[in-house]
DNA sequence: CGACACATGTAACACGTTACATGATTTG
DNA sequence: CAAATCATGTAACGTGTTACATGTGTCG
């Protein structure tokens, strides 16, 4: 529901029409997640259907500005006031992929880990390159978005490394016989 | 598309029916993201429609096992071979929320940050509690999932702190208007 | 004029989610 | 027997996404 609330937040600045909303959204989120214009209109329709926004009467039929309603303001305030919970988050594809790779026959988990690590490392480098200091206050939101992506990517690297070392301790000897060997040697 | 591929991966172990798939999925992902049974059946239908799985002839009409097809194996292999890219990921709600909070009138960004930080900290603590060492190799996938959530939550804390300090550096010596606003609201 | 950016809108589809309806099987 | 669990399936809806159709204004 990020787009819904995102548009509501933008309309809290004042009435805007679809095309403007798209530019404003992409400016705030730093073009990290491009937003199709069509999506803006469909989302606006749904917001209007739900009474959270209202189309303004406009002389210019080529631009249809919307304004946020009282119900919209309430919804928005509730959004900002409620922290994002762990249970709210969508399933993380990478986590699922690795978890399942462990028990899927014919899959070389370590190469999956290493491939992902290389890709994520490239992401880190690209993000670091993009996140050049921009002292203008207008650039602040986009900057923080980049930082968020960067922090996440770095955490992903750490997790992948953690996975690799854990795999070494656990699954390096793939046969059951090796299990006995580990037990006998008294590791951990 | 995590569920699609997840079910494919589970079927790579051998034929299974819907109810089993749900248990297996939740066991692998450690009940972090509970999976509605209905979703398994809808997803299985779509997989069958796309030729990635095939319903097995079964004497028992109360259990309808599926097997993965060759096309399914190819799709699965491609999934494991292709790293998750930054652009693939869904929009992150928290990031968007904070980015927009910065430019939404009437929103106290710092309290949003602090509220979220407290919630995420609780998540960290709960995850730490849950991630007790389980030496059984069967528990490995679920354990790594918990670790992933933990690493992400910790990164989120770091990012929130980073936001707060950045806000201090930026919004402290601002325009005279904002100065008045801050003074009037009695912050600091 | 023709190309291009601006601007709106719709149709179609994918996936995820919940709620519900329906049976079979086990078990107290 | 009754209740719980196992097991399948569908209907309806929500968001997100793309592709397409349409029109307006501007500028070289």
């Amino acid at each position: 529901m990020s787009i819904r609330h995102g548009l509501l937040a933008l309309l809290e600045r004042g009435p805007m029409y679809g095309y403007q909303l798209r530019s404003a959204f992409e400016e705030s989120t730093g073009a990290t997640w491009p937003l199709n214009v069509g999506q803006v209109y469909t989302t606006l329709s749904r917001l209007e259907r739900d009474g959270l926004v209202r189309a303004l009467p406009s002389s210019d039929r080529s631009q249809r500005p919307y304004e946020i309603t009282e119900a919209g303001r309430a919804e928005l305030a509730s959004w900002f006031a409620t922290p994002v919970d762990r249970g709210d988050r969508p399933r993380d594809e990478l986590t699922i992929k690795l978890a399942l790779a462990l028990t899927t026959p014919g899959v070389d988990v370590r190469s999956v880990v290493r491939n992902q690590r290389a890709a994520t490392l490239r992401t880190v480098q690209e993000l670091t390159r993009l996140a050049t200091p921009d002292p203008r206050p207008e650039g602040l939101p986009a900057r923080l978005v980049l930082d968020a992506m960067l922090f996440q990517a770095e955490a992903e690297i750490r997790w992948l490394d953690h996975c690799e070392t854990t795999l070494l301790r656990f699954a390096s000897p793939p046969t059951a016989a090796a299990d006995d060997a580990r037990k006998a040697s008294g590791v951990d």
Side-chain angles (χ1 to χ4, degrees), chain A:
Chain A
M1 318 251 293
S2 308
I3 298 185
R4 260 174 90 86
H5 291 112
L7 296 189
L8 276 184
L10 293 173
L11 287 177
E12 185 80 304
R13 298 183 191 166
M16 299 175 89
Y17 53 86
Y19 216 77
Q20 283 179 310
L21 285 167
R22 182 236 210 159
S23 318
F25 187 91
E26 289 199 345
E27 185 181 337
S28 274
T29 58
T32 301
W33 300 291
L35 176 57
N36 190 297
V37 199
Q39 177 105 39
V40 175
Y41 295 107
T42 57
T43 305
L44 276 176
S45 318
R46 291 161 183 170
L47 284 171
E48 187 174 26
R49 173 201 62 188
D50 299 339
L52 305 181
V53 306
R54 177 192 310 125
L56 281 180
S58 163
S59 53
D60 189 347
R61 267 165 316 302
S62 78
Q63 292 179 353
R64 307 197 73 251
Y66 284 83
E67 71 175 356
I68 190 171
T69 66
E70 268 315 306
R73 283 207 179 80
E75 172 66 29
L76 185 61
S78 152
W79 187 55
F80 279 127
T82 311
V84 177
D85 186 65
R86 184 163 76 97
D88 302 341
R89 283 163 163 106
R91 294 180 176 81
D92 183 70
E93 180 168 6
L94 174 58
T95 308
I96 290 179
K97 188 188 285 192
L98 236 68
L100 288 174
L102 286 172
T103 51
T104 302
V107 171
D108 180 7
V109 193
R110 291 181 56 196
S111 87
V112 174
V113 173
R114 281 198 307 263
N115 281 347
Q116 182 66 51
R117 193 188 193 283
T120 307
L121 195 55
R122 280 194 299 274
T123 298
V124 166
Q125 288 159 351
E126 190 198 344
L127 287 171
T128 306
R129 187 175 56 78
L130 286 177
T132 65
D134 177 355
R136 299 187 351 273
E138 310 88 85
L140 191 53
R143 172 61 193 270
L144 289 181
V145 169
L146 282 181
D147 289 336
M149 299 298 99
L150 192 53
F151 281 46
Q152 278 175 24
E154 286 168 347
E156 194 168 292
I157 298 265
R158 281 193 289 272
W159 180 64
L160 289 167
D161 290 343
H162 170 71
C163 286
E164 199 156 26
T165 69
T166 305
L167 283 182
L168 279 183
R169 289 204 293 107
F170 257 90
S172 181
T175 66
D179 225 309
D180 301 340
R182 202 183 68 258
K183 205 184 303 173
S185 71
V187 181
D188 281 25

